[in-house]
Amino acid sequence: MAFQLEGIKYIGFRNEQAACYAAQAIGYITRKPAVCLTVSGPGLLHVIGGMSNAQSNCWPVIVIGGSSDQAQERLGAFQECFQVESSRLHCKMSARPPNLSSIPRFVADAVKLSTYGRPGAVYLDFPGDLLNATVSEEDTDWIPSIPEPPSTMASPCQVAKAVKLILAAEKPLFIIGKGAAYAKAEDPIRNIVNQTNIPFLPTPMGKGVVSDLHRCCVGPARSLALQKADVVVLFGARLNWMLHFGRLPRFNPDVKVIQIDISPEEFHSSLPTAVALHGDLRTVSKQLEEELVKTGHVFKDSSLWWMSLKEKVCQNREVNQRSAEDTEEPLNYYAVFHCIQETLPKNCMIISEGANTMDIGRTVFMNELPRHRLDAGTFGTMGVGFGYAIAAALWCRDNSPRKRVVCIEGDSAFGFSAMEVETMSRYKLPVIIIVVNNNGIYAGLDHGLFHDLADGSDPAITLPPTSLTPGCRYEKMAEMYGGKGYVCKSIKELHSAVENALKETSKPTIINVFISPVAQRKAQDFDWLTRAKM
Ligand code: ADP
Ligand code: MG
């Protein structure tokens, strides 16, 4: 209430973890850290999952935890827990202000550390005795105001080296990551792509920095592009598992990597970096843009590289299209996603989590705008969806009231934070939740087989670990708060449910789409998480 009196918005979540996911999504979308406030002990421990997720994604967030009175330390106080120590591994700074007068300085430090350099999580601990103490204003420490992070430039000779390498490349490729989205580097990167006609691949959350519909997007030929590229420019993307460590068999062993990053520790990580461009992505991209434009370099459509990529893009689009046209029931993923994509406005913010749901959805949902896709991210976290969706919907309400937030969830992913639908309804957020329900994790069982197995002597022994209740009526949760829920088994039902959900303006809608329990991805050249040769 004290915060609200100051005009600070307060959103009360059902679980601290979801609150932390929401706060970091605000940080990602706006570059200003939001605060996750939590109680002591279990509350703080729940938030550690959130801090770890923010650290992995390089997103700013500030966590403030209450903790037991210092005088009761080691006496078994209520919810006593080593909170500063517990948090330390999962954030950039973890500290307890030693007294009241130092709090402003610690808060300023928290703002600075969460946003300067590589963004991340910060934890501040406030024991009960500190919270209940008073201090006169004259006795408080200096209150610094923290300016925006410095927008550092890369060394001009490194930029020149990068340009030379790009000009000499036979098979150049740009990879655009969520660091570019966070840095709001879309203008210079779009100009670079437009000018050079060099193919680009977005990472899952790098989608939309340059539109997925841009002629140079080779998302549908991802494997080929990675495998054959001779020069790769990383715009805010790391060569971690998501990019197969930049190594064989997914990358060409002779690939030369030009990397732009705010964090110099990131260079030479999995491979030697050919050209390290250390600095802020927006600023460095502008430098690169300027130098590339001067050369007038245009990578030719008639090159072998472009021709082979285009052929692959066409082939893969056709395969997806054929699956999308197969609307036989029970439905497959592609048919469902194609219908949703066609029914939704193009500027939606899309949140997605789940295994197949997220992976297949990423290839079907087209993002034309940056920071409009949020998913399980670098840490591969399930349960982030509703926290992210609440953050996105709050942002939309303040900045773009007609824009809609759509959560596309696997039935398993839905379960992690499902009670946050009540939070959405309390704050009147018209999020559209679509549960892609295949009765399980990766794949489930149909009704008959499930009951044959579950009715055995002990379901804990007989049920496959990946199965969830077939035909579970998740949409009925909407009845809890007087909202609408829909069950869909056909494309016609799905289309009309999404249209109705778009008319709802103050409550979340839940659409439960039953798909085939054995629906799969199209055949892949590589298994998921194919191991690099270490
Ligand atoms: P993705 O998952 O999209 O590949 P990653 O999270 O792996 O993206 O990489 C993002 C990179 O962007 C991180 O290495 C991070 O240090 C970097 N980064 C974040 N903000 C900035 C910025 N403002 N300028 C430059 N690099 C940034
Ligand atoms: Mg599932």
Side-chain angles (χ1 to χ4, degrees):
M1 284 191 280
F3 284 151
Q4 288 174 319
L5 283 174
E6 292 288 324
I8 296 175
K9 288 187 186 176
Y10 176 87
I11 309 293
F13 282 77
R14 306 295 301 241
N15 182 297
E16 300 86 352
Q17 210 174 76
C20 194
Y21 296 141
Q24 62 197 258
I26 293 278
Y28 174 58
I29 298 168
T30 66
R31 288 172 66 90
K32 291 222 163 63
V35 172
C36 169
L37 201 62
T38 171
V39 297
S40 45
L44 184 273
L45 293 178
H46 288 169
V47 160
I48 285 182
M51 287 199 278
S52 247
N53 189 68
Q55 284 288 97
S56 292
N57 278 340
C58 314
W59 291 356
V61 67
I62 296 174
V63 176
I64 293 181
S67 57
S68 45
D69 285 8
Q70 295 176 88
Q72 297 173 355
E73 227 161 73
R74 308 197 65 81
L75 288 174
F78 175 65
Q79 299 187 333
E80 184 175 350
C81 170
F82 294 106
Q83 298 185 184
V84 174
E85 292 84 340
S86 302
S87 303
R88 186 157 287 137
L89 287 177
H90 307 282
C91 54
K92 290 176 75 178
M93 161 190 172
S94 177
R96 170 189 285 185
N99 49 40
L100 273 190
S101 61
S102 61
I103 289 178
R105 183 165 56 82
F106 274 69
V107 171
D109 229 20
V111 172
K112 185 176 69 186
L113 265 96
S114 63
T115 51
Y116 277 42
R118 173 181 277 173
V122 167
Y123 176 63
L124 290 181
D125 192 67
F126 289 85
D129 45 321
L130 204 61
L131 290 174
N132 289 313
T134 52
V135 70
S136 66
E137 214 166 325
E138 311 79 84
D139 287 339
T140 51
D141 205 341
W142 154 75
I143 307 185
S145 92
I146 301 295
E148 292 265 303
S151 56
T152 41
M153 289 169 83
S155 118
C157 75
Q158 289 298 96
V159 175
K161 233 172 118 182
V163 169
K164 217 169 140 195
L165 202 54
I166 294 170
L167 296 193
E170 279 173 26
K171 296 173 181 170
L173 178 69
F174 295 154
I175 299 182
I176 304 172
K178 63 180 172 304
Y182 176 75
K184 302 202 169 158
E186 50 268 19
D187 291 343
I189 296 180
R190 286 175 181 186
N191 292 343
I192 291 173
V193 173
N194 287 335
Q195 154 76 34
T196 60
N197 196 45
I198 287 176
F200 77 90
L201 269 182
T203 66
M205 286 199 256
K207 275 159 68 77
V209 169
V210 184
S211 168
D212 284 338
L213 302 177
H214 192 283
R215 64 173 199 279
C216 293
C217 179
V218 292
R222 184 176 188 273
S223 293
L224 177 74
L226 294 182
Q227 225 178 1
K228 298 276 155 73
D230 60 356
V231 172
V232 163
V233 186
L234 294 173
F235 291 90
R238 285 169 286 181
L239 291 178
N240 56 16
W241 68 275
M242 295 182 84
L243 285 171
H244 321 284
F245 313 103
R247 297 184 188 180
L248 275 171
R250 305 296 304 268
F251 273 73
N252 164 3
D254 300 320
V255 66
K256 297 207 168 50
V257 177
I258 300 169
Q259 182 162 10
I260 310 174
D261 209 289
I262 194 88
S263 171
E265 292 89 339
E266 195 52 45
F267 300 128
H268 314 289
S269 287
S270 179
L271 301 179
T273 309
V275 186
L277 299 174
H278 178 217
D280 172 65
L281 248 149
R282 189 175 152 81
T283 317
V284 178
S285 301
K286 278 189 193 156
Q287 289 178 274
L288 203 55
E289 177 196 346
E290 219 166 90
E291 295 307 310
L292 278 166
V293 166
K294 272 190 213 158
T295 66
H297 179 66
V298 180
F299 192 75
K300 291 221 166 56
D301 278 319
S302 56
S303 61
L304 285 176
W305 182 223
W306 255 130
M307 292 208 301
S308 64
L309 287 168
K310 281 195 177 137
E311 190 186 335
K312 192 73 185 173
V313 165
C314 283
Q315 274 171 10
N316 283 347
R317 281 221 176 101
E318 264 168 40
V319 176
N320 275 15
Q321 190 57 32
R322 270 202 301 279
S323 305
E325 282 162 8
D326 170 11
T327 56
E328 200 180 307
E329 296 156 33
L331 296 169
N332 75 69
Y333 283 103
Y334 294 88
V336 166
F337 293 152
H338 182 72
C339 166
I340 299 170
Q341 158 84 16
E342 294 293 296
T343 315
L344 288 176
K346 301 293 167 243
N347 66 352
C348 289
M349 293 184 84
I350 295 183
I351 321 285
S352 187
E353 55 180 340
N356 288 331
T357 297
M358 182 174 74
D359 292 338
I360 301 173
R362 185 169 52 238
T363 69
V364 182
F365 295 111
M366 294 291 112
N367 285 96
E368 296 179 48
L369 299 168
R371 300 169 294 283
H372 275 55
R373 177 186 171 88
L374 294 143
D375 66 20
T378 306
F379 211 32
T381 314
M382 298 298 147
V384 291
F386 290 175
Y388 288 175
I390 289 170
L394 290 166
W395 182 85
C396 287
R397 185 144 80 194
D398 289 345
N399 295 281
S400 182
R402 293 175 54 187
K403 193 187 284 287
R404 298 303 292 265
V405 175
V406 185
C407 251
I408 298 160
E409 302 274 311
D411 51 335
S412 160
F414 175 81
F416 284 79
S417 303
M419 194 47 77
E420 303 300 346
V421 293
E422 186 278 326
T423 313
M424 291 176 189
S425 101
R426 200 165 1 112
Y427 293 99
K428 303 191 185 312
L429 302 172
V431 174
I432 301 173
I433 298 164
I434 303 178
V435 185
V436 184
N437 190 347
N438 67 347
N439 308 343
I441 307 163
Y442 287 108
L445 301 175
D446 67 29
H447 213 264
L449 193 51
F450 178 86
H451 283 291
D452 285 350
L453 293 169
D455 296 345
S457 52
D458 181 353
I461 297 293
T462 53
L463 271 186
T466 52
S467 64
L468 297 169
T469 307
C472 189
R473 300 292 297 271
Y474 300 112
E475 83 291 351
K476 289 204 179 275
M477 285 185 78
E479 289 174 14
M480 292 191 314
Y481 53 81
K484 291 220 175 74
Y486 300 87
V487 166
C488 310
K489 293 182 181 149
S490 68
I491 288 301
K492 198 165 154 236
E493 287 167 345
L494 176 60
H495 175 74
S496 111
V498 176
E499 287 210 311
N500 286 335
L502 285 167
K503 289 182 201 137
E504 175 63 66
T505 54
S506 65
K507 284 193 183 88
T509 299
I510 305 178
I511 301 174
N512 188 3
V513 194
F514 292 157
I515 63 161
S516 162
V518 292
Q520 282 301 336
R521 291 177 87 172
K522 69 177 170 58
Q524 301 287 308
D525 291 338
F526 290 95
D527 285 340
W528 186 69
L529 282 184
T530 300
R531 295 199 179 281
K533 287 203 181 69
M534 295 295 178

